[in-house]
């Protein structure tokens, strides 16, 4: 879900809502999300292809368009799923992505290949599509970020209690005290 959430706010986007503004931003995100170690993230940061960031954004939006309807209890959109499959298939056919069992893996040199990196993101989204428990996938009512509810009772409401949860509680408290 981290890829789908790589914007500041989905519900009320500000003019500067984009988190992937540069190759360095993408590399930092890979590192922060745990998808790449320091050497792999550095290799991503060295990608000079001007279309790379746009390709990552395209995978992010396709992923969001696949998972957002599921979070709302609706069928997933077919077209964005096709975009993810298409990107994955072309890299698998070209040998850009290897498999470690069923997990996609890139050799260090492939982390500098913009097509391989965007295909990796597409493949991870496809894996999530088939493996995540749909009844536990939700959308935060405040920011629109998608999250997997891993709470025991399955009643989690916000993407994060520290951000949206606290903001919601403060907002309700203000509304209650203003009355």
């Amino acid at each position: 879900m981290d890829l789908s959430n790589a914007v500041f706010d989905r519900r009320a986007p500000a003019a500067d809502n984009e988190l992937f503004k540069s190759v360095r931003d993408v590399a930092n995100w890979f590192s922060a999300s745990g998808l790449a170690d320091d050497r792999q993230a550095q290799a991503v940061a060295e990608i000079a292809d001007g279309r790379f960031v746009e390709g990552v954004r395209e995978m992010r939006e396709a992923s969001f368009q696949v998972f957002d309807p599921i979070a709302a209890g609706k069928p997933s959109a077919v077209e964005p799923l096709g975009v993810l499959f298409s990107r994955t298939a072309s890299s698998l056919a070209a040998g850009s992505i290897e498999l470690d069992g069923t997990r996609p893996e890139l050799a260090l040199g492939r982390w500098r290949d913009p097509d391989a990196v965007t295909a990796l993101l597409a493949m991870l989204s496809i894996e999530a599509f088939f493996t995540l428990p749909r009844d536990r996938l939700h959308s935060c009512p405040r920011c629109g970020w998608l999250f997997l509810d891993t709470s025991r009772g399955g009643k989690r409401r916000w993407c994060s209690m520290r951000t949206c949860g606290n903001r919601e509680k403060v907002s309700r408290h203000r509304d209650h005290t203003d009355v």
Side-chain angles (χ1 to χ4, degrees):
M1 299 296 87
D2 286 344
L3 177 62
S4 295
N5 295 337
V7 295
F8 284 109
D9 193 324
R10 288 260 182 212
R11 297 257 186 259
D16 191 23
N17 200 41
E18 183 58 61
L19 289 176
F20 292 147
K21 296 178 185 175
S22 69
V23 174
R24 174 57 63 191
D25 293 338
V26 174
N28 288 339
W29 176 84
F30 263 104
S31 180
S33 68
L35 292 175
D37 63 27
D38 290 341
R39 287 181 33 204
Q40 294 163 333
Q42 182 57 42
V44 170
E46 294 169 4
I47 293 175
D49 186 333
R51 300 167 312 183
F52 172 64
V53 174
E54 189 56 40
V56 171
R57 289 177 187 165
E58 181 185 0
M59 293 306 100
R60 176 193 63 203
E61 294 309 310
S63 181
F64 180 75
Q65 291 168 7
V66 166
F67 292 110
D68 188 49
I70 295 170
K74 299 176 183 171
S76 189
V78 176
E79 295 83 10
L81 191 58
V83 168
L84 296 171
F85 272 111
S86 177
R87 183 65 59 103
T88 299
S90 63
S91 279
L92 284 172
S96 300
I97 296 178
E98 297 172 7
L99 294 177
D100 180 13
T102 59
R103 296 286 302 174
E105 191 171 284
L106 296 179
L108 183 59
R110 292 290 186 184
W111 284 94
R112 289 181 181 85
D113 178 351
D115 293 331
V117 173
T118 55
L120 174 70
L121 293 173
M123 193 168 193
L124 291 171
S125 293
I126 291 168
E127 178 186 30
F129 176 76
F130 286 108
T131 60
L132 291 179
R134 293 179 179 330
D135 61 330
R136 292 291 185 129
L137 182 61
H138 302 290
S139 177
C140 180
R142 270 193 89 77
C143 70
W145 278 17
L146 301 172
F147 65 92
L148 195 61
D149 182 357
T150 57
S151 68
R152 182 186 296 185
K155 302 212 186 269
R156 186 170 144 198
R157 295 182 54 198
W158 302 289
C159 61
S160 165
M161 188 60 202
R162 286 182 296 194
T163 53
C164 289
N166 281 339
R167 289 176 187 155
E168 182 68 22
K169 287 183 176 190
V170 166
S171 175
R172 276 197 251 148
H173 178 73
R174 284 186 185 142
D175 291 346
H176 182 70
T177 57
D178 289 344
V179 175

